[in-house]
Amino acid sequence: MTKRAYKERFYPTPEQAELLAQSFGCVRFVWNNTLAYRTEAYQQRGESLSHSAAEKRLVALKVEYPWLKDVSSVILQQALRDQKAAFDNFFNVQIKARYPRFKRKDGRQSIRLTRAAFRYRDSE
């Protein structure tokens, strides 16, 4: 199976732009919160947080911050998968990647969707 990526340009309506901004903010919050939690766990207790533990923690974050439920859970889970890949690259001696960084609001905003995250309808 080959991997494919599509890059599309679209011009969102004001409602769509607001939903995108909310999605970007939620993904950035989950990334930064989880990165801070992982860093603190390692520095203070010497613990390494697994990916499954981070995903379980996402459920607790949604209870603590109900506004995370307003966006698709797929993009939040994908942010955690991307963070896992960033840590895998950091610990891989051959790649020599840097430690994952915190996301900034004024930086490049992005979200990643899986095939199951949306449907394309030809009529709309």
Side-chain angles (χ1 to χ4, degrees):
M1 180 174 173
T2 60
K3 292 187 178 185
R4 291 185 188 160
Y6 298 98
K7 208 176 217 184
E8 297 287 333
R9 171 169 279 193
F10 73 104
Y11 301 95
T13 64
E15 295 84 22
Q16 291 170 333
E18 184 178 331
L19 181 61
L20 278 172
Q22 185 180 16
S23 298
F24 293 145
C26 289
V27 166
R28 185 174 56 250
F29 175 80
V30 167
W31 174 282
N32 288 343
N33 189 288
T34 305
L35 182 59
Y37 184 77
R38 283 182 173 197
T39 304
E40 180 182 322
Y42 184 76
Q43 288 177 346
Q44 291 184 355
R45 300 180 298 276
E47 296 176 358
S48 178
L49 185 68
S50 69
H51 176 68
S52 61
E55 287 209 339
K56 287 178 187 173
R57 190 170 173 276
L58 178 60
V59 176
L61 280 177
K62 284 184 169 185
V63 171
E64 189 176 348
Y65 303 100
W67 44 267
L68 288 174
K69 296 178 184 175
D70 294 342
V71 299
S72 172
S73 64
V74 173
I75 60 174
L76 303 178
Q77 292 167 350
Q78 189 61 46
L80 293 179
R81 285 187 206 106
D82 292 342
Q83 192 175 82
K84 177 190 179 305
F87 272 105
D88 289 346
N89 290 341
F90 173 69
F91 288 117
N92 188 335
V93 180
Q94 296 173 343
I95 296 178
K96 297 180 184 176
R98 290 161 54 169
Y99 191 80
R101 296 179 178 189
F102 289 96
K103 305 286 184 191
R104 295 171 43 157
K105 187 174 184 176
D106 60 347
R108 185 177 147 264
Q109 304 292 310
S110 67
I111 55 175
R112 288 193 338 121
L113 299 170
T114 61
R115 187 179 302 171
F118 63 94
R119 272 185 257 162
Y120 174 73
R121 291 181 286 212
D122 211 11
S123 62
E124 294 180 11

